Amino acid sequence: MSFQGKVAVVTGGARGIGRAIAAELAAGGATLALVDVLLDVAETTAAEFRAQGVEAAAFAANVANPDDVNRMCDEVIARFGKIDLLVNNAGITRDNLIMRMKESDWDAVIAVNLKGTFNCIKAVTRPMMKAHFGRIVNIASVVGVMGNAGQANYSASKAGVIGLTKTAAKELASRNITVNAVAPGYIQTEMTEKVSEAAREAFLTNIPLGRGGLPEDVAKAVRFLCSEDAAYITGQVLHVDGGMVM
Ligand code: NDP
């Protein structure tokens, strides 16, 4: 699976699932643009990739801010000439039951997870359309499909990402740009370390394959959807959840 000559933007690429996605794409030869709110966080990861011989650079952007995102995309194109692959992975949680959820926590999660994905898709649309090529993969979640008590903001944002994926797929298909989503289940990262022991147990008993997923499990699905092998797949949601939702 070759990404030789391809430039990949991975938001939230400094750690967790984003970092694993970046590693998979780099293993296929992609040049990496790692995006994080803080430049030094992304730069540490980019330097680690460069030490392995990967062409990689760090870019600062809060994906919730369209000006930041537009500037970041301009910087990536100035540095690497183009953007072929976009992985919208940056995401946050601010969990609480609806009756206790603060408006600011609702707004923050929608702003990063849903508007952030929109901002990045919008920013790459023009260069990808001009190039008549693009692969966009949005990281959704199983809770965007099945809901989850305590995650009204997060599940709504991820359900929104799925709707956005399908619409973008329809708008961009004629220019050879595919847009798909990956819906991870319970994946072991810093994000899920915050989950209570009881919630963790509940998740695990509902996974037919009997284990939590690894960031690499998600990364391999993203790699496939970015590849030439997935050229005829668009507007789809690929679950990587050990069978949790079927
Ligand atoms: P982490 O919290 O480990 O990593 C999230 C990354 O996103 C971090 O690098 C973080 O940067 C970055 N980020 C957060 N906010 C912004 C922002 N406003 N602008 C730019 N970057 C930002 O999360 P995971 O690796 O676990 O999750 C990655 C994605 O997968 C998310 O979209 C998440 O919703 C989704 N997902 C995860 C699941 C899981 O079980 N872990 C399950 C289903 C979906 P910083 O280091 O600065 O905080």
Side-chain angles (χ1 to χ4, degrees):
M1 214 172 271
S2 177
F3 298 116
Q4 219 68 48
K6 298 275 190 264
V7 177
V9 171
V10 183
T11 68
R15 61 187 172 88
I17 293 171
R19 186 196 172 108
I21 291 167
E24 277 292 331
L25 298 176
T31 295
L32 299 178
L34 303 179
V35 179
D36 216 302
V37 190
L38 301 172
L39 188 62
D40 57 342
V41 177
E43 176 49 32
T44 304
T45 305
E48 287 166 12
F49 278 114
R50 285 197 297 271
Q52 297 162 29
V54 175
E55 190 170 14
F59 297 87
N62 173 0
V63 295
N65 180 330
D67 293 337
D68 257 23
V69 169
N70 291 334
R71 181 198 29 80
M72 175 273 290
C73 285
D74 289 346
E75 286 173 8
V76 173
I77 291 169
R79 175 75 182 266
F80 296 127
K82 57 181 183 157
I83 297 172
D84 301 291
L85 319 174
L86 167 67
V87 183
N88 285 305
N89 164 81
I92 59 169
T93 52
R94 298 278 187 280
D95 297 352
N96 218 328
L97 296 172
I98 291 170
M99 63 185 295
R100 292 197 203 112
M101 186 172 284
K102 290 192 215 131
E103 185 183 355
S104 57
D105 287 339
W106 170 270
D107 289 345
V109 170
I110 299 294
V112 174
N113 298 8
L114 181 54
K115 188 177 173 195
T117 302
F118 168 75
N119 289 338
C120 293
I121 292 174
K122 187 171 179 188
V124 301
T125 292
R126 206 177 295 275
M128 283 186 177
M129 283 173 87
K130 267 175 86 178
H132 283 265
F133 179 83
R135 295 272 184 275
I136 299 173
V137 179
N138 302 321
I139 306 303
S141 167
V142 289
V143 307
V145 177
M146 66 180 195
N148 195 27
Q151 291 197 305
N153 47 2
Y154 185 77
S155 61
S157 74
K158 295 300 189 178
V161 165
I162 291 172
L164 172 60
T165 298
K166 294 177 184 182
T167 294
K170 287 186 175 175
E171 289 190 10
L172 301 175
S174 66
R175 300 298 178 104
N176 191 30
I177 300 165
T178 65
V179 188
N180 291 288
V182 168
Y186 181 88
I187 309 295
Q188 291 155 11
T189 66
E190 282 177 43
M191 185 179 270
T192 45
E193 272 171 21
K194 291 182 238 159
V195 168
S196 71
E197 198 53 45
R200 198 188 321 274
E201 283 299 312
F203 269 124
L204 289 175
T205 54
N206 287 316
I207 300 174
L209 285 176
R211 67 167 176 90
L214 300 172
E216 291 71 23
D217 292 316
V218 179
K220 286 174 185 158
V222 173
R223 179 190 62 183
F224 167 64
L225 290 170
C226 286
S227 76
E228 209 33 51
D229 291 344
Y232 199 56
I233 299 174
T234 197
Q236 302 304 306
V237 183
L238 180 53
H239 285 241
V240 180
D241 61 4
M244 201 191 252
V245 175
M246 58 172 94

